[in-house]
Amino acid sequence: MLDSSAAIQPNKQVKIENKFIDVGNFLSYELIDKTIQIQTENSFVSILFYERDIVRIVMNPNEVPSLKSSFGVIAHPNKEIYYHMEDRGNDLYIKSSQFLIIIRKYPLRITILDIKGRTIVRENSLGMAYTEENEVICFKEMDTRDNFYGFGEKTGYLNKRGEKMTMWNTDVYAPHNPETDALYQSIPYFITMRNGSAHGIFFDNTFKTVFDMKSSEDKYSFSAEGGQLDYYVLAGPTIKDVVMQYTFLSGRMPLPPKWSLGYHQSRYSYQDEWEVREIAETFREKEIPLDCIYLDIHYMNEYRVFTFNKYNFPNPQRLVSDLKAMGIKIVPIVDPGVKADPEYTIYLEGVRGDKFCKYIEGDIFFGEVWPGKSAFPDFTSSEVQTWWGDKHNFYTNLGMEGIWNDMNEPSVFNESKTMDLSVVHHNDGVPKTHKELHNLYGLLMGAATYEGMKEQLKGKRPFLLTRAGFTGIQRYAAVWTGDNRSFWEHLKLSLPMCMNLGLSGVAFSGPDVGGFAHDTTGQLLVRWTQVGAFTPFFRNHSAIGTSRQEPWCYNEENETIIKRYIEERYRWLPYLYTLFYEASITGLPVMRPVFMEYPKDDQTYNLSNQFMLGESVMIAPIMDPDTNYRSVYLPKGNWYCYWTDKKFEGETHHLIKAELDELPIFVKENSVIPLTEPKQSTKEKDRKIEFHFYLGEDDINCILYEDDGETFNYEDGESFILEVSAKKIKKDEWNICTTTIQKNFIPSWETVELILHGGSADTIVLLNGTPVKGQRVDEQLLRIEKSFDELVMS
Ligand code: MIG
């Protein structure tokens, strides 16, 4: 719907602040089981510690706050945290080893400082408040130096200062542009970075929430349409600390199966078995690596989930096993809408077993989606979760190991785009409206699906891809960013979107490579594939009616380059997989904004068109048509061009040339990057591991993580962890050491190659103390090849 000028009629501005009821003056406090319970004139406030560096504050207008958390939170308060509390007349002082919380009493205002006396958050003229209509809001002072990040999946630039953002899971087919606000994911959390230091706020409220970093110059606010004002202050002080604190609360991604990190091909839709086979065979004939093909909605019998259309897919089991033999997995789409059809088992069971979302009077909610009139499982009930999870044996019995959840906002074809807000969810005996639980629907469907698959796969890691989610979605699924378009602008937009998702706990994300809607072009597909090869999730997907988008659909030059970059993805898997391993332990993203590594450098605070992979690698793609130059910012230190080894100075901008076949990649001096040889699919065993040493002045090292890539045995320690270092003995003399930290899993590598970049003709290398001769490729490049068993395993 396009607006005309009538949309901008003059109206009277009501100052929003006037409608709020302030919490008012302090009345009394009590300590109950280490929770500080405060009563004010107009509210009740509780304060409790989760960790030394995480404090939770909950305000309830009507009664002592409930301390039950949303499904997004997995952590519990730590009652062992020691703090000291003092009533100083006009203020309450609460001091822990990380925080000083000062509660001004008249009226109640909270200021939190860190141990160095640095203000983290402060309330002044306005603090916590609510309205007659059950809205809750919290105002905090905004510093002129504050930059804001996180907020999950948002359009626009990296830094969200000056933005107002709504969290309300929404199916937005179009447009995705800077003023598109609510998208598919709701992650009510953000990081404030001030002067290189950081802290975070996680607002654990599942209603529609709004974060307003725009309307005022000296304060920001976060508010919700209902519920309690329940938020956590995360102390930082670094950005990485905040992400770890947030993912301590909301959980971390389990290690994904390796095949999910390969290249994936999708299309809405591959219409039948023969088309799927043809796609798979074409990849293999052309020797383009591929790990997965998706089945979009046309595989089903009239869009009934857990069915196949027998004409188009007569033998899905054989299809799956034949493709598996080629190293290719099949992932089917599963939407939540269940076709209202009394002859369809799922619907029958759902109605009989009381599994669907209902109105309070007991009538099932029906909505139009692809199957026509449909009912929606009520995932807020654990019984329904188990039922739905179990149903997935339909897919696992066919040999499938991954599922793609779409339309799970939930999306409904009506005016509001979703379920009726007055639907009352079962919620395990604590009924709540859809208005309150809407944002959880995708997360709960994800939990049901992941747990069901995990159970049926008997030790194998499931893969789940989802469109909708809430805080904590990383525990179950990778996130793709929905219906983008084949626009250069959307390629650009995907970088800050995925970087902010990464800061919001979702380390495994990516956009549809090539663009979903609209027709792509050969050049756009090339440039997008170059980027996709280095984003955490790498899937080419396109919509019905748009031009075909498989790697070979444009000219030969395009195809050759696309193939080369897909191969490059497989070459980088050891480095990437190690980053995923780290993410599973720390919650830190794989794809990082540059300021995460260089928080003191203000050139990086809104750097949205380049990103880092881990600590050492800078990806600076070309994202404009017919363009082969761009400016690249390199922070402090020296950088190597990955392709040529040419050195670049940091703390400055460079004009970089990159023809269509080149993605600018820079590796930080003093780092080691593990790579391997390209292969057709992750099913093939690597035979060689390479360590690339980018020499500078310092000693350097890296960790390499490896395991079987498909089971949960790593949880019992069946993994391989190697530390590789290069110590500078003196000028031109390096001692390379390998230390196995863990070897309960034996990797498939036969040879290990050590490649020194940036040495000189005189470079001498010792290997664990013994001099070795290498093969000099040129003045600055030295290669040493060894047997993996001899060097590492003995
Ligand atoms: O209304 O299943 O975002 O990836 O191909 C469209 C068909 C429904 C939206 C998803 C897209 C998928 C499409 N779906």
Side-chain angles (χ1 to χ4, degrees), residues 268 296-297 333 370 404 406-407 467 480 483 516 541:
Y268 168 28
D296 208 324
I297 51 177
I333 197 168
W370 298 121
W404 170 20
D406 184 23
M407 305 290 277
R467 193 168 73 176
W480 102 98
D483 296 343
F516 176 68
H541 180 50

Side-chain angles (χ1 to χ4, degrees), residues 56-220:
R56 177 179 178 193
I57 299 171
V58 197
M59 186 276 285
N60 185 312
N62 310 311
E63 59 192 17
V64 173
S66 153
L67 296 181
K68 199 171 172 342
S69 296
S70 78
F71 191 78
V73 177
I74 56 163
H76 299 285
N78 183 345
K79 301 264 166 74
E80 304 292 296
I81 301 298
Y82 173 80
Y83 64 87
H84 174 75
M85 172 142 173
E86 209 180 304
D87 190 340
R88 296 200 178 172
N90 284 332
D91 306 288
L92 284 180
Y93 269 63
I94 305 163
K95 200 171 173 179
S96 75
S97 67
Q98 298 288 311
F99 287 119
L100 171 61
I101 304 174
I102 304 172
I103 302 176
R104 200 173 89 201
K105 291 186 183 170
Y106 311 108
L108 191 96
R109 294 290 180 263
I110 299 178
T111 293
I112 302 183
L113 304 125
D114 69 9
I115 29 162
K116 288 190 184 141
R118 178 179 65 101
T119 302
I120 300 178
V121 288
R122 176 153 64 196
E123 297 168 359
N124 194 2
S125 57
L126 295 165
M128 298 186 280
Y130 56 91
T131 66
E132 283 293 342
E133 293 77 38
N134 300 325
E135 258 176 82
V136 289
I137 190 162
C138 186
F139 295 91
K140 302 275 183 214
E141 285 195 344
M142 185 156 90
D143 192 284
T144 49
R145 299 159 300 173
D146 284 351
N147 301 299
F148 301 110
Y149 307 98
F151 305 99
E153 184 187 49
K154 294 291 169 197
T155 56
Y157 283 89
L158 203 50
N159 186 351
K160 301 302 183 197
R161 190 183 174 114
E163 300 291 339
K164 185 173 171 181
M165 289 154 291
T166 307
M167 305 297 171
W168 183 253
N169 290 4
T170 312
D171 173 5
V172 186
Y173 173 63
H176 291 194
N177 69 31
E179 66 175 1
T180 310
D181 185 0
L183 282 169
Y184 316 91
Q185 298 274 330
S186 291
I187 305 186
Y189 146 84
F190 66 97
I191 303 173
T192 305
M193 192 167 72
R194 184 184 301 154
N195 246 0
S197 292
H199 61 266
I201 286 184
F202 164 46
F203 182 23
D204 188 21
N205 185 307
T206 63
F207 282 87
K208 184 186 281 181
T209 53
V210 174
F211 292 76
D212 187 351
M213 335 310 269
K214 174 185 192 167
S215 304
S216 154
E217 273 299 309
D218 56 12
K219 58 183 166 308
Y220 63 81

Side-chain angles (χ1 to χ4, degrees), residues 261 395 484 487 489 564 644 681 714:
L261 304 184
Y395 298 108
N484 62 2
F487 297 161
E489 290 84 347
R564 170 122 68 79
T644 63
S681 116
Y714 72 93

Side-chain angles (χ1 to χ4, degrees), residues 137 327 427 605:
I137 190 162
N427 200 32
Y605 293 175

